[in-house]
Amino acid sequence: MSRRRVVVVVSDPRAVPELPAEMLVSADTYLEGGEALCDRRITLVNLCSSYRYRTKGYYVSLLADARGQTVVPGVETIEGLADAYGLFRALREAGVPTVDVREMRARRRALPAAIAPEEDDGPGRVAPLLRVERKGGLSYRPATDAEVAETLAFFGSSDDPRFRAASLAVYREWPAPVLRIRWLLEEGEWKVTQVAPVPLRQLDPGARAVLGEALRNERLVLRRGASVPSEGRRASIAVLVDEGNPFSPSTPETIDRLERVASRMNVYLHRIGLDELDRLGEYDALFIRALTGVSTPAFQFALRAEALDMPVVDDSQSIIRCSNKVFLEELLRREGIPTPHTVVLTSRTAPEALEELGFPFVLKLPDGSFSAAVHRVSSPEEYRERAAEMFRRSPLLIAQEYLPTEFDWRVAVLDGQLLFAARYHMARGHWQIRSAEKGTERYGRVEAVPRDQAPAEVVETALRAARLIGDGLYGVDLKETPAGPVVIEINDNPNLDIGYEDAADGSAIYEDLVRFFLRRLEEGGEREPEPAPEAEAAPLRAPIRARKGGAPRSHYRPFEVAGVELEYAVVDRDLNVAHRVEEAFRVLAGRGCSDVDLGAVGFSNEIADHVFEVKTQTPTRSLAEAEELLVEGVRRFAAV
C-alpha cells in the first residue's frame, strides 16, 4: 500500500522560510487542483492565514474533504472552534477539565465591587477568576501568575510536561495544527479556559521553527483526530441548576462531586441554567437540581424532557403530586399510610373539627415549602388570626396533629429503593428544623445514618409512601412515635449536599443516581410498576406510549379496531381565538415542527395557528381506549 504524503498549504510559501519547503503549496495552487493535488492519499495541513467562511483557507479545507483527503483542520473543526459552547462541551465529554467562557463571565459579574477584574486581553479571553469557599458562600478572586498558564500545542504536542496529556486530548477533539490553550489552576487541577487556533502570522520565528520540526515528524502529523475509545461515552446528563439561589437542593460543590463520580462511570454531566431550555434536546437525560413547583421554570424543563422522551428526575407528575399537601393527605390516608391526625380546612369548617386535634396543632398552606407558611397554633384566637391571613392565599388549609420530636427522619427514595437516610434535628430552641426569626435563619444539625443502619420500620414506611408517587427521587419526612413511624410529607427534589446527606454513604449515593439514569437509557430499565389503586385517576402528563402487544397488524376485520382524529380550536377564557399551536408544538417536540409524535397519540397543525388535530397513531381495540388516549393527549397539550 502506498504511503500517505503530507502537503502543507499556506497563503504565501515565501513568507515562511522556517517550514519545510518541499511540503509547501500555495492556497491558489491547491484550489486550482490538478491530478497530483487531488490524490486521496494526501494528508493536508491547512496553515492559511484565515479560516473564516469564504476565505481561501476555508475553501482549502472544504475541497480537501470533497477530494477524500485527510485534512487538519477540517471544516467541522473550523466551525466548532468558533462556538465556545460546543467546544467546551466536547472537551468535557472527552474528560478534559474545563472552566468555560460563560462561567468565567458569570464569575466576573459575581466579584465584589471593591475588586476590579482584569480586562480581557485578547479575543475569547476572559479574566481568570478562582472560586473561593467562605462561610457566607462562594466568592471569587483574581488568579495569581502561578495559577495561570498558556501553552502552544503543535499537533497536540506540548513541551510543558504538566499539559502533555490534556493537550493531546484537546487536539483529538479539535485537531488544528497549532492551538493556543489557556489554563487555570483551581482545586488542585489545571482546567482549560480557552482554546483557539493560531495563524502563522501570530507565531514568532522560534515557534515557526518548532512547527517546522513537527511537520517533518510524519507520525506526529498523522495521529490526528480522536482515538477510538475502548468504551464509548455511555450517556450525557443535563443537570438543571439555578446559580446563586441559596435554596437550591444541591450546592455547586455537590454537583462537582456528582460530575466526578459520573466521569469515572463514563457518563458525561453538564450543568445547564434556567434560560437554556432550547439546549435540553442535546442531552440524553435531565436531573433537576433547581426549585420545583408547577409555576417554576423547572416544571417546564420536566415537561420538555417528557415530550422528548428523556428520563427526568423529577418528572412533572411527581412535581404536581408532591407540591400539594391536600393531595398528599388524601392519597396517604386512602392507602393506609400512617400519618399524624390531619384535617383539611375551609373557611366554613366547624370549630368541632379543630377540637379533634386539640391545641397546639400545626397549620399549613397546601403548597408551602422549606418550613415556610407552617405555624404552630396554640389557641382558638391564634387560629382565627393565622387562618384569616392564610385563607386569603388558599381556599384550603391543612391542620395537623402536633408531634414534638428531637428530630425528623428524612428518607430519600430513588426508583423504589433507599438512597440515603438522615436525622434532621430541630433548630436550637425551635420546634422545626428551620427557624427564621428577626431576619436570621437557623437550621438544625443533619446527621446522616448508614443505609444498613437505618430503622427498618422507618425505611419500609417511607418506601410504601414514595411508591404511591412514582419511581423518581423523593424525600419522605417521618417522625417516630410510640405507635410507630408516621409520614409528615413527601417531597420531590429532596436536598442532597456534600458533607450532609452523603456523609454516611459517600460516593455510593452518587453512583446509584448515575445507575438510575443508565438503567433508563440502556435497558429501558423502569422497574415493574405497582398495580394502580382502583380509585386512582390515570397519571397526569406521563409520557404517552404505544400499547403493548407486539408489532401492529396491517389488516383487520370490520369494526375490529378504531382510530379517531379530532380537531380543536384554541381559545382564551373569553372564547377569543388564541394563536398558540405553533408555540405549544415547539415545547412538546423541542423544536419547530408541524407534527408531534408522542407514541400512541400525535398532533398535527392545521391551516390556522389556533387549530390543531389530535389523533390516535395506532389502531385501538375500542372507542373507549381511543378516548382514553385522546384525553391524555389533550391534557398534555393543555399542560404546555
Side-chain angles (χ1 to χ4, degrees), residues 337-339 409 456-459 461-462 478-487:
I337 303 296
T339 64
W409 278 104
E457 191 176 7
V458 169
V459 172
T461 303
L478 309 95
K479 287 181 179 289
E480 288 186 283
T481 72
V486 296
V487 174

Side-chain angles (χ1 to χ4, degrees), residues 107-322:
R107 292 183 181 192
R108 292 185 67 189
R109 292 193 295 270
L111 270 182
I115 300 178
E118 300 175 27
E119 294 298 323
D120 290 3
D121 55 0
R125 299 187 188 180
V126 291
L129 302 175
L130 285 175
R131 184 189 294 127
V132 180
E133 295 183 35
R134 302 186 188 279
K135 288 186 177 179
L138 288 177
S139 63
Y140 303 97
R141 66 167 175 82
T144 65
D145 290 344
E147 293 166 329
V148 177
E150 186 172 278
T151 59
L152 290 178
F154 300 91
F155 298 98
S157 179
S158 172
D159 288 338
D160 193 324
R162 297 174 297 175
F163 308 118
R164 282 175 183 161
S167 295
L168 180 56
V170 172
Y171 174 72
R172 282 176 170 163
E173 292 301 315
W174 301 107
V178 187
L179 289 172
R180 178 180 285 112
I181 308 175
R182 205 176 196 203
W183 312 84
L184 179 67
L185 180 60
E186 184 175 66
E187 299 170 336
E189 183 177 42
W190 284 103
K191 300 180 179 180
V192 176
T193 65
Q194 185 215 359
V195 178
V198 184
L200 282 174
R201 66 178 183 277
Q202 291 184 10
L203 296 178
D204 59 34
R208 291 186 184 183
V210 175
L211 175 59
E213 290 301 315
L215 289 169
R216 292 184 179 92
N217 184 344
E218 187 173 307
R219 183 177 179 184
L220 185 68
V221 174
L222 295 180
R223 71 173 182 179
R224 64 166 303 279
S227 60
V228 179
S230 57
E231 180 184 7
R233 183 70 62 180
R234 298 173 71 184
S236 62
I237 301 174
V239 181
L240 180 65
V241 297
D242 184 8
E243 296 287 353
N245 190 326
F247 293 111
S248 293
S250 291
T251 63
E253 294 77 18
T254 306
I255 305 301
D256 288 343
R257 183 172 190 181
L258 178 60
E259 286 180 351
R260 291 193 295 270
V261 171
S263 179
R264 292 198 296 268
M265 300 172 70
N266 211 20
V267 172
Y268 166 67
L269 260 75
H270 183 67
R271 280 168 257 213
I272 61 173
L274 299 178
D275 59 344
E276 296 182 278
L277 185 62
D278 58 329
R279 296 198 182 275
L280 184 57
E282 300 175 12
Y283 301 90
D284 300 316
L286 173 64
F287 184 28
I288 297 176
R289 291 281 84 190
L291 296 185
T292 55
V294 294
S295 60
T296 64
F299 187 71
Q300 298 302 317
F301 276 82
L303 288 174
R304 173 69 66 82
E306 290 165 358
L308 296 174
D309 203 20
M310 294 168 56
V312 53
V313 170
D314 269 317
D315 59 272
S316 62
Q317 176 179 290
S318 297
I319 294 172
I320 292 170
R321 290 181 167 186
C322 290

Side-chain angles (χ1 to χ4, degrees), residues 359-361 363 375-390 431:
F359 291 96
F361 64 83
L363 189 64
H375 304 283
R376 183 175 58 181
V377 176
S378 301
S379 66
E381 294 75 22
E382 185 179 0
Y383 166 71
R384 285 192 290 271
E385 181 181 345
R386 292 284 190 190
E389 187 275 330
M390 294 172 76
W431 63 280

Side-chain angles (χ1 to χ4, degrees), residues 63-74:
L63 287 181
D65 184 37
R67 294 170 183 175
Q69 298 166 346
T70 300
V71 56
V72 184

